[in-house]
Amino acid sequence: MTITYNLDVPHSHLKGVLSILFRWRGSVWKAVSFPLSCWLAGYYFVFCVYYFILRPYDRYIFDKVTNVLETRIDTYIPMTFILGFFVSSVLGRWQDTLKNMGWIDGTAVAVSTYIRGDDDETRAIRRTIIRYLVLCQTCVLRNVSVQVRRRFPTLEAIEAADILTPEERTLIEKTEDKYSQFWIPIVWVEEILYDARMKNKIASDFFVETIAKNIDIFRSQLQNLLKFDWVPIPLVYQQLVTFCVRLYFFICLFTRQIIKHDDQGLPESVLFWIPITTIIEFIVYM
């Protein structure tokens, strides 16, 4: 879910910077707080085992192994390349989804412009066309969005919202193919346009074509939403990114420890006990 923050940061002065940096809802801090807490718990568990349980020779072996891992981890796990491509793919899908939400404004303007008349029949034609388009959008979104599905769990709920009539609901329910149900209202709209042209409610074929093009764009946008929902980013790549990121920070549990296998004891400053650089890296990658 996208969190709106525009009004909190209208300017680039210090207050605006702090407002955007320390927001909690929808923020990076909320996203990484739990996994970071789990990672820190594991880090200090290894820390305690290293300093209080392992023998000097075991520490020496531990240091040798972690040195090899730390030297070669960036070569074996190219995090920058993997996450860069993955983030660009996810952001691209998010932008395409936003563009294909099914904006009805263009079609509504064309309908109100080219279907002229103040009589009851003409007004009913305009309203019915828009209602059918809203019905089509509702049927698609309830199969894509959990929030819309909760608002309209069944066709009866859509009927109760006056977007659908009982007769129309019966016709849709008779269609067994779920995919075809999405576009039945579009077919009804095309039939209404044809009848309106035959009755001279629309002045020319060019106007009919203009309205039909807007309707086809609207339908294509909704179709793209279904494609995004049905065909996610390939599972192999999802698994690769998830595996690499988790493996990288699992190795960091050992490689980012304060290496001290001599007899000098624990670090004097408490700041040395906090892996600040790794925490920053964890926030950025996660």
Side-chain angles (χ1 to χ4, degrees):
M1 180 180 178
T2 303
I3 305 300
T4 303
Y5 58 88
N6 305 47
L7 297 179
D8 294 340
V9 286
H11 306 290
S12 59
H13 51 66
L14 180 60
K15 182 180 179 181
V17 172
L18 295 177
S19 297
I20 190 175
L21 187 60
F22 293 107
R23 283 181 63 93
W24 175 256
R25 188 179 180 213
S27 67
V28 64
W29 320 118
K30 183 178 180 180
V32 304
S33 58
F34 179 74
L36 179 59
S37 300
C38 295
W39 186 87
L40 287 175
Y43 175 86
Y44 287 113
F45 174 78
V46 176
F47 178 88
C48 294
V49 170
Y50 179 86
Y51 277 105
F52 302 112
I53 298 179
L54 294 183
R55 298 171 298 177
Y57 179 77
D58 296 331
R59 294 184 187 179
Y60 174 79
I61 298 299
F62 181 92
D63 295 345
K64 290 296 184 181
V65 173
T66 54
N67 285 335
V68 173
L69 291 176
E70 188 172 16
T71 303
R72 301 181 180 180
I73 186 173
D74 293 328
T75 303
Y76 293 155
I77 307 179
M79 294 292 292
T80 304
F81 171 76
I82 294 175
L83 288 180
F85 185 78
F86 182 74
V87 170
S88 64
S89 300
V90 173
L91 183 59
R93 285 176 62 90
W94 178 81
Q95 291 174 330
D96 291 338
T97 301
L98 181 62
K99 294 176 183 177
N100 289 278
M101 287 298 293
W103 306 105
I104 201 173
D105 307 72
T107 307
V109 170
V111 168
S112 63
T113 301
Y114 298 128
I115 303 180
R116 297 281 185 171
D118 296 330
D119 57 285
D120 293 340
E121 182 181 5
T122 305
R123 287 198 296 268
I125 289 175
R126 291 195 292 262
R127 291 173 179 174
T128 303
I129 289 175
I130 300 302
R131 181 172 64 83
Y132 283 160
L133 295 179
V134 173
L135 171 60
C136 179
Q137 186 178 37
T138 304
C139 292
V140 170
L141 291 181
R142 65 191 292 267
N143 283 270
V144 175
S145 171
V146 176
Q147 289 81 1
V148 180
R149 170 67 73 169
R150 290 173 180 170
R151 174 64 180 85
F152 301 107
T154 61
L155 291 177
E156 287 79 4
I158 301 178
E159 179 185 342
D162 294 329
I163 303 177
L164 184 67
T165 65
E167 294 78 12
E168 294 165 351
R169 177 173 62 84
T170 301
L171 291 175
I172 293 178
E173 289 176 342
K174 287 182 179 179
T175 304
E176 297 181 358
D177 184 10
K178 296 294 183 181
Y179 181 76
S180 299
Q181 288 182 353
F182 297 141
W183 316 122
I184 290 177
I186 298 293
V187 177
W188 294 342
V189 170
E190 299 289 354
E191 292 177 353
I192 291 176
L193 287 179
Y194 178 82
D195 292 339
R197 178 67 182 112
M198 293 297 100
K199 296 178 181 179
N200 291 324
K201 298 292 184 181
I202 305 177
S204 69
D205 294 337
F206 173 76
F207 294 158
V208 176
E209 182 181 358
T210 301
I211 298 175
K213 283 183 177 179
N214 281 275
I215 293 174
D216 188 60
I217 292 173
F218 180 79
R219 182 198 58 78
S220 297
Q221 291 176 339
L222 296 179
Q223 188 179 48
N224 287 336
L225 282 184
L226 290 175
K227 292 177 182 178
F228 290 141
D229 182 60
W230 293 342
V231 185
I233 294 177
L235 178 61
V236 172
Y237 200 70
Q238 293 267 24
Q239 291 174 333
L240 173 65
V241 173
T242 302
F243 173 76
C244 287
V245 173
R246 270 64 182 182
L247 177 62
Y248 179 86
F249 284 106
F250 176 77
I251 296 175
C252 286
L253 289 175
F254 307 96
T255 60
R256 302 302 171 85
Q257 294 291 331
I258 305 171
I259 303 302
K260 188 175 289 295
H261 58 267
D262 51 23
D263 298 329
Q264 298 180 14
L266 294 175
E268 297 180 358
S269 176
V270 179
L271 293 178
F272 287 101
W273 297 7
I274 304 175
I276 298 178
T277 56
T278 309
I279 290 176
I280 296 174
E281 190 177 20
F282 188 95
I283 293 174
V284 173
Y285 283 173
M286 278 294 180

